[in-house]
Amino acid sequence: MFLITRKAEFSASHRLARPDWSEAKNQEVFGLESQTHGHNYILEVTVAGQVDPNHGMIMDLKELKDIINDEVVDKWDHRHLNHEAAPFDRVIPTTENVAAEVWKRLSPKISSDTARLHSIRLYETPDLYVDYSGPEAA
């Protein structure tokens, strides 16, 4: 089994807040994160699989880059996640929820006889990241 990881970056703003809570309650629970702010996210997508003897790779890395760009970067880069990026109009865009949504978008696209999505690592800041391996790993 081999693992290969592709990195991508996007910038987006968000705020952590529940619309059914008062501003005071959101401030109490989420602190400064309850105010609109932005991040330069770094996304690492790891694919697991066996090397295909026909081309010597787990999967075509250009194809992987295109999938990441089509499903994540092009849709979220320079967007306000709460207002411009479903499902975050109804799901709080925590790092955990963003990583789970990345998995949901990429998993069906990265699945073949020789390769499958293995994990997502999403950095919100240089010292804060989340790893996600999908619901079947739980």
Side-chain angles (χ1 to χ4, degrees), residues 4 13 22 31 35 52 54 60 65 78 112 114 116 120-121 137:
I4 192 160
S13 61
S22 68
Q35 304 301 312
D52 183 318
N54 294 313
D60 180 328
K65 180 180 181 178
H78 291 88
S112 72
T114 60
R116 66 172 174 76
I120 300 291
R121 175 170 281 181

Side-chain angles (χ1 to χ4, degrees), residues 36-135:
T36 298
H37 61 282
H39 296 285
N40 294 318
Y41 291 92
I42 298 174
L43 173 64
E44 295 177 356
V45 177
T46 301
V47 176
Q50 295 301 320
V51 173
D52 183 318
N54 294 313
H55 53 62
M57 300 180 286
I58 298 170
M59 77 175 289
D60 180 328
L61 295 179
K62 169 70 166 76
E63 178 185 0
L64 179 58
K65 180 180 181 178
D66 290 346
I67 291 168
I68 295 167
N69 284 337
D70 291 347
E71 296 298 323
V72 178
V73 176
D74 293 346
K75 289 180 172 44
W76 295 349
D77 193 33
H78 291 88
R79 302 281 190 263
H80 190 300
L81 297 179
N82 303 76
H83 302 293
E84 300 178 81
F88 304 115
D89 53 341
R90 60 190 187 286
V91 174
I92 300 170
T94 61
T95 311
E96 296 90 337
N97 286 337
V98 174
E101 181 63 19
V102 169
W103 181 277
K104 181 179 166 187
R105 289 168 180 252
L106 298 184
S107 184
K109 308 267 185 192
I110 304 171
S111 179
S112 72
D113 292 339
T114 60
R116 66 172 174 76
L117 186 58
H118 178 266
S119 63
I120 300 291
R121 175 170 281 181
L122 180 65
Y123 285 86
E124 188 176 84
T125 64
D127 62 351
L128 174 67
Y129 66 87
V130 64
D131 288 322
Y132 187 68
S133 299

